[in-house]
Amino acid sequence: MVERKSDSEASEQTVEIHAEDIQNVLTETWATKYSYTLTVIEGENFGYVYTLQKQETVLGRSEAADFRIFDPKASRRHLMIRLQQDGQNIKATAIDLESKNGTYVNGERIADAVLKNSDKIQIGDTILKFEVKDLLDLNYHEKLYQQATRDVLTGLWNRSYLNNELDKLISVSNRYRRVFSVVILDIDHFKSINDTYGHDIGDIVLKVTAGIVMSQLRSHDTAARFGGEEFVLLMPETPLEGAQIAAERIRLSVASYDFTNLGYPKQVTVSLGIAQYPLCGSTADELIKRADEALYRAKRSGRNRSCTASPL
């Protein structure tokens, strides 16, 4: 015979079990539904949202930092954000790593400070906003950032993003004596494509060409739409000779692609101009100008080829 518990005993037991289950669910939900983020609200990469995914995240100017701060006033290892379990929540602590110019939270210099939602962290001239975001928030801010930095048609970076990345490369090159190359690519006879087959076909040619270019680049290279049918490629730690090899690989890939099934029954070709920093130019504007001059030499000499800028 099974002994039946009283209603009060059964109620107490049920409440105790459910409370424990609910606590576990809350902890799991918090860990998976919410993210701790840093949003750049002033400085390089404005609008970028960085998600804190490690227990300890180092911010600084060093290439080895988890979140790199491109600010000359930032130390190589400037700040650490530490995440710790605190009951059902996560506690985030900002810890200054003995930086030269200090870390400020809401305007006050700190050695360490527990962060609250919407706190503002200043590193040099860069300001980051600490926020707890759910998945919808993250998706929303990611879309805003993409709209601000990506070309809508091709999906490549836009000119504003390109300018920021070029300034960063110059800063890194000057500090660490590392070279990099710039490649300007132009689709040959693109006006004729639009005039003869229409802008819809022209857009398809642009998008497909952009995809081919991206498929031939390394993960740390940058490809941006410079305007019209021109793309600019940034190749870190790549001398002139290496950039020309990459440019030829891109040129051959475009020339061998069959656009027939996409509505354009002819071969698409590109011309490219290449310049190396600081060999061919000492400023961003000068470097772009020298690469552009090399591009037009390629155009004048028959198109569907690449040319390099001469050293200064």
Side-chain angles (χ1 to χ4, degrees), residues 63-74:
E63 291 182 357
D66 300 303
F67 183 8
R68 196 168 180 197
I69 305 296
F70 291 92
D71 189 314
K73 295 180 182 178

Side-chain angles (χ1 to χ4, degrees), residues 18-301:
H18 284 186
E20 183 178 344
D21 290 343
I22 289 170
Q23 184 175 356
N24 291 335
V25 170
L26 283 172
T27 304
E28 291 171 6
T29 302
W30 184 267
T32 56
K33 185 178 179 181
Y34 295 96
S35 296
Y36 287 82
T37 65
L38 297 171
T39 303
V40 182
I41 60 174
E42 190 165 319
E44 292 285 352
N45 288 334
F46 174 80
Y48 177 71
V49 179
Y50 181 86
T51 303
L52 298 164
Q53 297 178 328
K54 299 170 60 177
Q55 185 175 356
E56 293 183 345
T57 299
V58 174
L59 292 73
R61 203 180 65 245
S62 170
E63 291 182 357
D66 300 303
F67 183 8
R68 196 168 180 197
I69 305 296
F70 291 92
D71 189 314
K73 295 180 182 178
S75 296
R76 290 177 58 78
R77 286 171 51 88
H78 195 105
L79 170 71
M80 176 189 290
I81 305 292
R82 177 177 292 156
L83 301 180
Q84 294 172 296
Q85 190 76 36
D86 184 20
Q88 295 179 10
N89 299 330
I90 305 287
K91 180 174 71 173
T93 306
I95 304 168
D96 183 78
L97 300 177
E98 298 183 353
S99 62
K100 180 179 179 181
N101 294 311
T103 300
Y104 295 79
V105 175
N106 300 327
E108 294 186 7
R109 186 164 183 166
I110 58 103
D112 60 81
V114 176
L115 296 173
K116 301 184 296 296
N117 195 34
S118 297
D119 277 350
K120 296 176 181 62
I121 305 168
Q122 184 169 353
I123 299 174
D125 294 325
T126 301
I127 300 178
L128 311 169
K129 187 176 182 180
F130 173 77
E131 293 178 291
V132 182
K133 298 180 183 292
D134 61 19
L135 186 59
L136 287 175
D137 286 330
L138 283 175
N139 290 340
Y140 170 71
H141 284 281
E142 175 63 21
K143 287 178 181 178
L144 286 182
Y145 183 70
Q146 293 293 329
Q147 289 174 3
T149 57
R150 291 282 186 180
D151 175 62
V152 175
L153 177 62
T154 64
L156 300 181
W157 297 110
N158 62 22
R159 192 162 180 168
S160 175
Y161 182 91
L162 171 75
N163 291 336
N164 286 334
E165 290 301 298
L166 184 52
D167 288 342
K168 290 178 191 176
L169 278 178
I170 290 175
S171 177
V172 170
S173 178
N174 291 339
R175 183 177 295 273
Y176 300 109
R177 306 298 181 190
R178 296 175 180 172
V179 303
F180 70 91
S181 290
V182 170
V183 179
I184 298 184
L185 176 154
D186 185 89
I187 300 176
D188 296 327
H189 302 295
F190 187 72
K191 184 177 184 301
S192 176
I193 295 174
N194 276 334
D195 291 346
T196 305
Y197 294 91
H199 287 275
D200 288 344
I201 296 298
D203 286 350
I204 290 172
V205 170
L206 274 171
K207 287 190 286 187
V208 172
T209 302
I212 295 171
V213 170
M214 286 300 298
S215 72
Q216 298 299 317
L217 295 179
R218 302 166 299 181
S219 59
H220 57 282
D221 293 333
T222 298
R225 187 178 180 190
F226 199 57
E229 68 274 22
E230 276 193 340
F231 305 151
V232 172
L233 318 177
L234 304 181
M235 299 182 177
E237 300 188 28
T238 306
L240 209 56
E241 297 81 4
Q244 187 169 28
I245 292 172
E248 280 296 294
R249 188 170 63 243
I250 291 169
R251 183 185 68 80
L252 292 172
S253 295
V254 174
S256 64
Y257 190 88
D258 185 3
F259 283 82
T260 303
N261 293 333
L262 302 176
Y264 184 67
K266 295 184 179 181
Q267 181 191 43
V268 175
T269 63
V270 296
S271 299
L272 306 98
I274 309 154
Q276 176 189 314
Y277 182 87
L279 185 67
C280 305
S282 57
T283 66
D285 288 342
E286 188 175 30
L287 195 64
I288 292 291
K289 180 181 178 182
R290 298 299 304 285
D292 199 44
E293 290 170 353
L295 166 65
Y296 277 95
R297 284 207 309 276
K299 291 280 191 183
R300 288 194 299 269
S301 57

